[in-house]
Amino acid sequence: QVQLVESGGGVVQPGRSLRLSCAASGFTFSSYAMHWVRQAPGKGLEWVAIISYDGSNQFYADSVRGRFTISRDNSKNTLYFQMNSLRADDTAIYYCARDRSGWPFDYMDVWGKGTTVTVSS
Amino acid sequence: QSVLTQPPSASGTPGQRVTISCSGSSSNIGSNYVCWYQQLPGTAPKLLIYRNNQRPSGVPDRFSGSKSGTSASLAISGLRSEDEADYYCAAWDDSLSGFVFGTGTKVTVL
């Protein structure tokens, strides 16, 4: 079955870095664009980044542009999210989600269960 | 911050119809498809409606979506206790070159 499993979350000090991973299975990963979406404690959903099926196009929310980088390894069916210069307001559950299309983008149709990132000293 | 505005809450008794609005602008809802997500407590979001009014397989036809101009709506008819959840609209925004989510609406079944 189609499945996305996030990992790499944890507690990190402000200013440090963390890399999240999302392992995909049950579908042809290289055919689909992929998203990262986050949800701060008690708050709503915030879209943060997307990467096209082949990795050639990436787009970011203003809140993370220049600090976070989305990437993918289609040979390993894995999506990544490199998060640098972390701040307290980056504390959230981070979900990876599949886009229904490879390019242009369409909508998020499959979601992982999420991984929790806590930025605290 | 969210650029799509939803009412913070909505409620109804079992069997009633509840409607949730989602207000945007010409750069998002006005020029792109809208989708809706349901998030049950403590779980990941689930796709409910895509391309304004299409239901994925497995989603009951009690859920329906519509769009007009720069606004969209989600209707839940025959409300059931298991519909208690947070609901979010979303759309691509041409000006931001990214997706935007609505502020979210908590549905309570009285």
Side-chain angles (χ1 to χ4, degrees), chain B residues 33-48:
Chain B
Y33 287 123
V34 176
C35 53
W36 290 87
Y37 297 92
Q38 177 193 59
Q39 188 175 33
L40 297 170
T43 70
K46 169 192 166 186
L47 178 65
L48 209 57

Side-chain angles (χ1 to χ4, degrees), chain B residues 6-87:
Chain B
Q6 300 178 232
S9 63
S11 63
T13 57
Q16 277 192 327
R17 175 184 171 94
V18 167
T19 302
I20 301 168
S21 61
C22 174
S23 178
S25 67
S26 58
S27 64
N28 41 65
I29 294 177
S31 51
N32 294 292
Y33 287 123
V34 176
C35 53
W36 290 87
Y37 297 92
Q38 177 193 59
Q39 188 175 33
L40 297 170
T43 70
K46 169 192 166 186
L47 178 65
L48 209 57
I49 296 288
Y50 66 96
R51 292 182 187 167
N52 302 332
N53 55 19
Q54 302 299 302
R55 276 188 312 276
S57 60
V59 173
D61 59 6
R62 301 185 296 105
F63 294 92
S64 62
S66 64
K67 181 182 119 171
S68 178
T70 59
S71 294
S73 293
L74 173 72
I76 311 172
S77 59
L79 194 64
R80 303 176 66 156
S81 58
E82 57 258 41
D83 298 333
E84 277 208 344
D86 294 322
Y87 294 83

Side-chain angles (χ1 to χ4, degrees), chain A residues 3-80:
Chain A
Q3 193 172 13
L4 299 172
V5 179
E6 303 92 338
S7 62
V11 180
V12 61
Q13 293 179 328
R16 305 297 292 265
S17 299
L18 204 61
R19 188 177 84 157
L20 306 182
S21 298
C22 171
S25 59
F27 65 100
T28 305
F29 179 70
S30 59
S31 296
Y32 294 87
M34 296 294 296
H35 303 254
W36 285 101
V37 176
R38 70 183 181 182
Q39 186 169 34
K43 302 297 185 182
L45 300 173
E46 180 188 14
W47 175 85
V48 286
I50 187 171
I51 187 167
S52 59
Y53 70 103
D54 60 355
S56 62
N57 292 282
Q58 308 97 36
F59 295 89
Y60 299 91
D62 289 345
S63 57
V64 305
R65 188 178 295 114
R67 299 187 300 126
F68 293 5
T69 302
I70 188 172
S71 63
R72 64 192 298 159
D73 186 336
N74 286 343
S75 68
K76 296 182 178 179
N77 292 339
T78 302
L79 174 73
Y80 300 103

Side-chain angles (χ1 to χ4, degrees), chain B residues 2-6 22-25 28-29 89-91 93 100-104:
Chain B
S2 301
V3 297
L4 303 182
T5 302
Q6 300 178 232
C22 174
S23 178
S25 67
N28 41 65
I29 294 177
C89 56
D93 190 295
V100 288
F101 281 99
T103 47

Side-chain angles (χ1 to χ4, degrees), chain A residues 13 29-30 32 49 54 81 90 93 98 103 119:
Chain A
Q13 293 179 328
F29 179 70
S30 59
Y32 294 87
D54 60 355
F81 206 34
D90 294 318
I93 298 173
R98 187 184 77 171
W103 176 268
V119 183

